[in-house]
């Protein structure tokens, strides 16, 4: 979710039918948000979406991210 400044309108950015969307991070220019989509215990997608919502998701990576389980996420 994001909240628009000024209007305080709340917008949901993701709807994952597969799993949980976690660990969002804003791009340096503020135009995009990247996050991990957990597919199962060890498989994740790295997704990028426009920060204002409404755009198509881009999948930057899909596979096992075993380092996540090692650091306790």
């Amino acid at each position: 979710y994001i909240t628009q400044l000024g209007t305080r309108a709340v917008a949901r950015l993701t709807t994952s039918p597969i799993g949980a969307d976690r660990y969002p991070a804003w791009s340096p220019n503020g135009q995009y948000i990247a996050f991990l989509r957990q597919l199962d215990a060890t498989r994740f997608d790295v997704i990028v979406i426009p920060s204002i919502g409404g755009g198509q998701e881009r999948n930057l990576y899909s596979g096992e991210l075993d380092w996540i389980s090692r650091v306790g996420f």
Side-chain angles (χ1 to χ4, degrees):
Y1 292 90
I2 60 167
T3 301
Q4 297 289 332
L5 294 177
T7 65
R8 296 192 178 206
V10 177
R12 184 174 183 160
L13 296 179
T14 68
T15 54
S16 173
I18 299 170
D21 295 336
R22 304 171 181 266
Y23 314 115
W26 289 83
S27 66
N29 65 8
Q31 292 183 355
Y32 300 96
I33 298 173
F35 59 92
L36 294 180
R37 176 166 287 157
Q38 186 172 359
L39 305 174
D40 60 31
T42 60
R43 292 183 323 117
F44 292 82
D45 286 345
V46 177
I47 307 290
V48 175
I49 58 172
S51 60
I52 59 170
Q56 185 173 350
E57 296 180 350
R58 289 188 300 156
N59 188 338
L60 299 181
Y61 175 86
S62 186
E64 291 190 21
L65 297 177
D66 62 347
W67 60 269
I68 290 177
S69 61
R70 289 197 304 265
V71 296
F73 286 112

